[in-house]
Amino acid sequence: MGGGALVAAAAPSVGTHSAGAGEPSGDLGARYREALLPVFGTPQRILARGAGVRVWDTDGREYLDLLAGIAVNTLGHAHPAILAALTKQAETLGHVSNFFATAPQIELAEKLLTLAAAPAGSAVFFANSGSEANEAAFKIARRTGRPRILALTNSFHGRTMGALALTSKEAYRAPFEPLPGGVEFLPAGDEEALAAALAPGDVAAVFAEPIQGEAGVRPLSTTYLRALRRLTREHGTLLVLDEVQTGMGRTGNWFAHQGIEDLQPDVMTLAKGLGGGFPVGAVITFGQRVHDLLQPGQHGTTFGGNPLAAATGLAVIGTLLEEGILEHVRTVGAQLSRDLLALGNPLITEVRGAGLLLGIGLARPIAKQVAAAALEAGFILNAPDESTLRLAPPLIITQADLDTFTAALPELLAAAATEGEN
Ligand SMILES: *Cc1c(COP(=O)(O)O)cnc(C)c1O
C-alpha cells in the first residue's frame, strides 16, 4: 500500500489499498474504511496529536476534549508524568511473562488495595481492559458453585462473550447468542424484585455499575445501592461493582461506591481511567473468602500486569494524589452541574452523575445532532442515547475550559433543535 496515498487519483481500483481523492483529513478516512472492520461506524475525525485537554485533527483543527477517550485520559494527553513513567519503564523492562513479577506490578496492586480500603486478604488480578476485568469477575462468580447471576437493565459490562452475557442491551446480545448462561436481568432500582430474586439463596453474584455510564450516565439511587449491599450480604451473594467507568477519581472519589457509606463490594472491576490511556484493567477481590475462589491455574493472561501498564497506572495515581486532583474534580464537577442548570435552557431537563462524569438530559431526542454541532464548534463529547450528552473530560480540566463549553452550549442546542424542525 506504500505510495498509494499520493497517486490515489491515478490508480483507484477496487480491491487495492489505494484511496479516493478529496477525503477530509487527506485520504486517511477512505483508507480507514478499507482497512478496518466497520464495527465503530465512520470515525468523526482523524486525530493527530493532543496536549493537555486539547487534541488536533489531521487538518490542524483544535478541539477541547470533554470525553477523554470515554473516561480514559485521566490526565489529558501527553502528560509529562505518563511520558516519564513509560519511558523509564521501557528503558528497563517493557514486558515479562507472568512466570515472573516486577516491582511496578506489585506496587500498583498494593496502591489499589490501599485506595480501595480493602481489608486483609484482599487481592488484585490485572487484565488489559474493562471487558477482561469483568470476564475474570464472572469466573470468580462461577466458582461460588451457585448457578444464577444477576445483572441490571441498562447495564453495560463489555463486548466479550462473558461480559456481553452481563450486558442488557438486546441489540448487542442478539447476534451472538448463545451467550454464557445463568444470567438474569433485574429492573435497575427495583428493590422488591432484587429481594425476590435473591431469596432462594442460589445467586452467585449481582453485577452493577454505581452509575450506569453507557446507559446515559444514570446513577443507581443510594437507597437501591444500600439495598444491594444489604441483601447480597444477607444471602451470601457476591456484590460485584463494575467501576470501569466510574473509578479512578472520575466521580471525585477514588471509586464511586466510596461516596456512599458501607457500600464496599466483594469484587470491583476497573479499567478505563486506571492507565490514563495505556490499556490496563484490574479486578479487586475483597477479603479472604473471595480471594480463595479463584485457585492457581484457573485464570491467566499474557499482558495483564505488564510493567509498562503498571508503571503508567502508578504515574496516574501518583499525579492524582500529589496534585489533589480528586478535590478539584469535586469542585469543578459540582460547579459545572450548577452552571449547566443555571442556563435555564428549556432543552436541558437535568444533569445526572457525579464529579466529572455528567449526563445532560435533553427534552428532545437531539443529542446526536448536538454532539455533531459541538464537534464542528471544537468540543468533543458524545451522545450515549438520543436525549443525553455525556461529559467525561480529563480530570485536570480547568474551570475556565469548562466555562467555554457552558457558554457555547445554548447555541449548539438551538442549532440542533432548529435542524430537527426542518
Ligand atoms: C467501557 C466499559 C466496559 C468495557 O471496557 P472495555 O475496556 O471496552 O472492554 C465495561 N464496563 C463499563 C461500566 C464500561 O464503561
Side-chain angles (χ1 to χ4, degrees), residues 70 128-132 134 156-160 163 209 211 213-214 242-246 269 271-272 390:
I70 314 189
N128 307 291
S129 68
S131 297
E132 277 183 54
N134 285 323
F156 181 84
H157 297 293
R159 303 290 206 128
T160 56
E209 304 151 79
I211 300 173
E214 294 311 295
D242 178 344
E243 294 238 24
V244 167
Q245 190 159 158
T246 53
T269 56
K272 293 202 163 91
R390 173 171 48 185

Side-chain angles (χ1 to χ4, degrees), residues 95-99 125-128 132 299-306:
H95 177 79
V96 301
S97 76
N98 278 307
F99 297 130
F125 172 82
F126 286 115
N128 307 291
E132 277 183 54
H299 198 46
T301 169
T302 296
F303 291 118
N306 173 297

Side-chain angles (χ1 to χ4, degrees), residues 46-387:
I46 294 174
L47 298 180
R49 69 189 175 91
V53 297
R54 293 188 164 67
V55 293
W56 287 264
D57 67 18
T58 44
D59 292 333
R61 282 176 295 193
E62 179 180 313
Y63 303 88
L64 179 64
D65 186 0
L66 297 171
L67 193 59
I70 314 189
V72 168
N73 302 104
T74 319
L75 303 181
H77 301 274
H79 192 283
I82 291 187
L83 187 63
L86 270 176
T87 308
K88 181 163 167 263
Q89 192 56 47
E91 280 171 355
T92 49
L93 271 178
H95 177 79
V96 301
S97 76
N98 278 307
F99 297 130
F100 302 94
T102 61
Q105 175 190 45
I106 298 162
E107 273 167 45
L108 182 59
E110 289 171 347
K111 201 65 143 199
L112 287 173
L113 292 170
T114 304
L115 297 178
S122 302
V124 177
F125 172 82
F126 286 115
N128 307 291
S129 68
S131 297
E132 277 183 54
N134 285 323
E135 291 289 334
F138 197 143
K139 286 177 77 172
I140 289 170
R142 284 283 201 249
R143 290 285 305 145
T144 62
R146 294 183 176 192
R148 298 167 62 216
I149 290 180
L150 305 178
L152 304 181
T153 51
N154 293 322
S155 60
F156 181 84
H157 297 293
R159 303 290 206 128
T160 56
M161 293 300 257
L164 189 56
L166 301 162
T167 293
S168 73
K169 197 170 179 171
E170 197 50 32
Y172 291 171
R173 303 164 53 85
F176 303 102
E177 278 160 2
L179 294 164
V183 183
E184 299 161 38
F185 292 95
L186 290 182
D190 184 337
E191 199 176 317
E192 266 173 49
L194 176 67
L198 288 172
D202 59 353
V203 177
V206 181
F207 280 74
E209 304 151 79
I211 300 173
Q212 298 185 310
E214 294 311 295
V217 192
R218 297 177 193 279
L220 298 179
S221 75
T222 300
T223 332
Y224 184 68
L225 285 165
R226 286 230 174 91
L228 258 179
R229 181 61 286 185
R230 180 169 41 83
L231 290 167
T232 47
R233 196 175 277 144
E234 248 172 65
H235 292 283
T237 295
L238 300 177
L239 174 60
V240 183
L241 289 183
D242 178 344
E243 294 238 24
V244 167
Q245 190 159 158
T246 53
M248 301 316 296
R250 174 58 47 193
T251 64
N253 286 300
W254 281 104
F255 310 107
H257 74 262
Q258 292 174 331
I260 294 168
E261 212 183 317
D262 188 31
L263 189 59
Q264 193 163 75
D266 301 298
V267 178
M268 173 166 66
T269 56
L270 299 171
K272 293 202 163 91
L274 174 55
F278 200 95
V280 53
V283 182
I284 301 183
T285 59
F286 290 77
Q288 197 66 42
R289 176 175 84 102
V290 193
H291 176 288
D292 294 344
L293 288 171
L294 213 49
Q295 291 292 308
Q298 291 185 333
H299 198 46
T301 169
T302 296
F303 291 118
N306 173 297
L308 290 169
T312 317
L314 284 170
V316 168
I317 292 171
T319 307
L320 292 178
L321 281 170
E322 282 154 30
E323 298 183 6
I325 293 174
L326 268 58
E327 174 68 36
H328 170 76
V329 169
R330 289 194 286 273
T331 309
V332 297
Q335 187 65 46
L336 176 59
S337 299
R338 280 195 298 271
D339 292 346
L340 289 167
L341 289 171
L343 289 172
N345 191 302
L347 286 166
I348 299 177
T349 57
E350 60 178 352
V351 178
R352 301 182 294 267
L356 285 173
L357 179 60
L358 296 177
I360 306 173
L362 302 180
R364 292 174 45 195
I366 55 169
K368 301 255 177 320
Q369 292 87 326
V370 179
L375 189 67
E376 280 303 317
F379 300 100
I380 295 179
L381 47 87
N382 93 317
D385 66 44
E386 286 186 337
S387 54

